[in-house]
Structure formats: C-alpha cells, structure tokens
C-alpha cells in the first residue's frame, strides 16, 4: 500500500476515535462542566464537527490516486446500484425520521424529549437502521467503483460501526 492509503486509514481511525470519544458519557459530563450554560448546544456542535470531519476524510479519499483492484461486470454494476440505492433510501428515511434528535437542532425548539425504545417499522428488524443503510450504501458504492481507497474506507467504516 502506498502512503496515501495509510494516511486514509489514519484519517478514518482518527475520525472514529474522536467521534466515539465525543459520544461517551464521561466526556459529555466533563464537557458539561467546562461549557456550563452553553452545553445545551453540545449535540449541535458535535454534529457539525462530525459532518465537517467526515467530509474532510471523504474529500481526501476521493482525491487520492487509487487503483481499481478488479474489473467489474454489468451484473456487479446492477447489484452495486441496487445495494447502494437501498442503503441511501434507508439512510434518508432514518435521517428524515429523527433528524432533529440526532442533529442537535432540537435545542432551538421547545420540544420535550422523550426517550422510548422504538420497535416499530424498520426497528422491528434492525436496531440501528441508519448504520445498516450506511453500510449498504458504502459497500454498494464499492461495487460501482472497486478502488483500493473505497475498499479501505468500506473496511474502516464497517469496523467502526461494529
């Protein structure tokens, strides 16, 4: 593997570590003490930082030279399109369903937060449909563009998700 692929791996690891650290209870409690009144905006800042850092990693991924590691056939393209589109639709449904809860934008609305385990709809079969949609999307994209950088990213995203 060349240096740019190793840098991509480091970027994905850094993204995962920072994202996970910022989501831990002990880190949130520590930040709450430091931020005081402004802590109510933590989720919004967390979401913004996660989005910007994810876009940065993806920008790097798609701008490094990367070899195609196998030639693809028409059926591979169809499966990639089907899997990737299914993942994208699932992600869209999830984001639409609970965008305000996961983005931090609820801080601007006077809405009482209720924590209830959702077991209806897609949640009957999958605990985290957004994760499933993401995995389907990235692996479908790999079938559409089977490059080393896409493979590395698929592996890193899958490992992080599990």
């Amino acid at each position: 593997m060349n240096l740019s692929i190793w840098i991509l791996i480091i970027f994905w690891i850094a993204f995962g570590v920072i994202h996970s650290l910022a989501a831990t209870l002990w880190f949130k409690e520590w930040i709450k003490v430091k931020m005081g009144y402004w802590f109510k905006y933590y989720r919004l800042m967390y979401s913004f930082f996660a989005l910007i850092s994810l876009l940065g990693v993806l920008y790097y991924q798609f701008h490094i030279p990367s070899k195609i590691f196998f030639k693809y056939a028409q059926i591979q393209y169809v499966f990639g399109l089907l899997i990737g589109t299914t993942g994208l639709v699932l992600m869209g449904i999830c984001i639409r369903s609970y965008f305000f809860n996961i983005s931090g934008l609820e801080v601007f609305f006077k809405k009482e937060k209720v924590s209830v385990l959702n077991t209806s709809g897609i949640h009957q079969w999958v605990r985290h449909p957004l994760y499933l949609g993401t995995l389907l999307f990235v692996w479908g994209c790999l079938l559409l563009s089977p490059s080393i950088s896409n493979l590395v990213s698929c592996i890193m995203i899958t490992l992080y998700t599990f």
Side-chain angles (χ1 to χ4, degrees):
M1 280 192 294
N2 62 24
L3 180 61
S4 59
I5 296 297
W6 284 109
I7 292 171
L8 180 62
I9 291 170
I10 291 168
F11 281 170
W12 277 119
I13 290 171
F15 174 83
V17 167
I18 293 168
H19 193 265
S20 294
L21 174 68
T24 61
L25 186 58
W26 69 267
F27 185 80
K28 287 188 223 176
E29 290 297 325
W30 180 76
I31 285 291
K32 189 176 193 176
V33 170
K34 300 292 182 194
M35 292 180 74
Y37 169 80
W38 300 102
F39 181 75
K40 66 181 183 178
Y41 299 105
Y42 176 75
R43 182 68 186 187
L44 182 62
M45 291 185 291
Y46 168 82
S47 297
F48 180 75
F49 178 77
L51 176 65
I52 296 301
S53 57
L54 176 62
L55 291 175
V57 175
L58 292 174
Y59 179 84
Y60 181 78
Q61 173 189 336
F62 293 118
H63 285 83
I64 59 174
S66 185
K67 294 180 181 175
I68 301 296
F69 64 93
F70 66 84
K71 227 176 176 175
Y72 80 104
Q74 188 80 14
I75 192 74
Q76 175 189 334
Y77 180 80
V78 171
F79 278 124
L81 202 55
L82 181 65
I83 293 167
T85 302
T86 301
L88 196 58
V89 167
L90 187 55
M91 289 167 55
I93 290 169
C94 292
I95 290 169
R96 183 173 175 257
S97 296
Y98 42 84
F99 176 75
F100 283 104
N101 293 336
I102 64 173
S103 68
L105 290 173
E106 81 276 357
V107 75
F108 298 114
F109 302 94
K110 301 287 183 201
K111 199 173 175 185
E112 188 177 319
K113 226 181 198 181
V114 179
S115 294
V116 175
L117 180 62
N118 187 355
T119 57
S120 63
I122 188 75
H123 288 92
Q124 292 178 53
W125 299 283
V126 174
R127 177 68 189 104
H128 294 287
L130 183 59
Y131 294 170
L132 175 61
T134 301
L135 292 173
L136 289 172
F137 177 70
V138 298
W139 286 97
C141 287
L142 178 65
L143 290 174
L144 294 172
S145 179
S147 68
I148 298 296
S149 61
N150 285 351
L151 176 63
V152 165
S153 292
C154 285
I155 292 169
M156 297 304 291
I157 290 168
T158 302
L159 289 174
Y160 174 71
T161 301
F162 286 116

